[in-house]
Amino acid sequence: RKEVEQDPGPFNVPEGATVAFNCTYSNSASQSFFWYRQDCRKEPKLLMSVYSSGNEDGRFTAQLNRASQYISLLIRDSKLSDSATYLCVVRNYGGSQGNLIFGKGTKLSVKP
Amino acid sequence: NAGVTQTPKFQVLKTGQSMTLQCAQDMNHNSMYWYRQDPGMGLRLIYYSASEGTTDKGEVPNGYNVSRLNKREFSLRLESAAPSQTSVYFCASSSQTSGANEQYFGPGTRLTVT
């Protein structure tokens, strides 16, 4: 089983739609969780960290379910500019210093 | 404030040639990283440097060497390039040795080995 798994998509949604991505991780000792965004042929950039209690940043909501070992990202009122690949990222406690484990990404395409 | 810069942006090598990818950050970060990104594989850690003067292997270190020249600069060297090293290479940095803080990525180097 891959350490971090995501549905690769693509998710094709109309503007204004709500879309949700899930990500599962295999290591129950994982400590930190993030969503990164990567535009085509660009570098990844942090979208948001994921906290145990769940957190929201504008139209984006991230949730963590430790018992089931999954992380979700909800995007409300999708914009054309949300089109990108969303990377689920996990850091394991006691792992190599700074070693983040990246999922392969879920591609989102928002259409007019 | 340029963040993380990488040179070159593009490179084509023949099998067996060597080259060094350069990375520099101006954010006074302690930790720096080299990743490669291949289609269908996601980002994989090659080497990292938790602080100036230290380097450690990541998930896929074979065929690569690194040098943490100073706090700002972290270079990646391919001694004898192979077609399997065709990839996009990203350098990143973060402020804490734990890496729990956000990692900032450079724009990447697109390397093709023929």
Side-chain angles (χ1 to χ4, degrees):
Chain A
R1 182 183 173 186
K2 297 277 191 295
E3 193 149 2
V4 178
E5 292 203 67
Q6 299 180 247
D7 181 343
F11 284 63
N12 297 308
V13 303
E15 267 187 295
T18 295
V19 61
F21 308 136
N22 288 331
C23 163
T24 57
Y25 60 96
S26 59
N27 190 337
S28 59
S30 295
Q31 284 290 301
S32 304
F33 309 91
F34 312 89
W35 284 101
Y36 275 69
R37 170 194 169 127
Q38 186 172 23
D39 293 299
C40 187
R41 300 181 70 78
K42 298 286 190 183
E43 71 271 24
K45 293 184 179 178
L46 181 68
L47 178 66
M48 58 197 302
S49 300
V50 186
Y51 303 120
S52 296
S53 55
N55 48 299
E56 189 173 303
D57 182 2
R59 297 181 294 107
F60 298 84
T61 301
Q63 296 205 312
L64 169 64
N65 184 320
R66 284 191 185 270
S68 301
Q69 294 180 210
Y70 81 76
I71 308 146
S72 65
L73 177 67
L74 182 78
I75 305 176
R76 290 181 299 279
D77 188 22
S78 300
K79 312 290 185 193
L80 296 176
S81 57
D82 294 334
S83 297
T85 296
Y86 291 83
L87 308 176
C88 176
V89 184
V90 167
R91 178 176 171 265
N92 296 331
Y93 180 76
S96 301
Q97 292 274 345
N99 194 349
L100 299 182
I101 312 297
F102 286 79
K104 296 178 184 179
T106 298
K107 187 171 181 180
L108 171 65
S109 181
V110 182
K111 306 289 187 187
Chain B
N1 191 336
V4 180
T5 57
Q6 291 183 236
T7 55
K9 286 189 167 53
F10 301 93
Q11 184 71 51
V12 178
L13 291 178
K14 291 188 181 348
T15 297
Q17 287 184 317
S18 62
M19 78 161 294
T20 299
L21 281 63
Q22 307 287 353
C23 173
Q25 52 90 10
D26 62 4
M27 296 175 281
N28 202 35
H29 286 169
N30 290 322
S31 303
M32 297 185 73
Y33 315 86
W34 276 105
Y35 293 90
R36 62 178 288 174
Q37 187 173 36
D38 303 292
M41 294 296 292
L43 277 155
R44 293 181 292 169
L45 184 67
I46 305 171
Y47 270 94
Y48 65 97
S49 171
S51 60
E52 187 178 353
T54 69
T55 60
D56 284 285
K57 294 178 181 178
E59 180 186 353
V60 288
N62 291 347
Y64 305 95
N65 286 301
V66 290
S67 295
R68 183 74 183 266
L69 303 168
N70 47 55
K71 192 171 187 179
R72 288 188 66 246
E73 299 172 289
F74 188 38
S75 63
L76 178 72
R77 183 160 178 84
L78 287 70
E79 289 292 351
S80 179
S84 60
Q85 294 178 305
T86 293
S87 189
V88 181
Y89 291 86
F90 288 103
C91 177
S93 69
S94 67
S95 63
Q96 289 188 352
T97 55
S98 68
N101 280 6
E102 175 181 0
Q103 288 190 13
Y104 294 82
F105 285 79
T109 295
R110 281 168 175 75
L111 175 67
T112 301
V113 183
T114 60

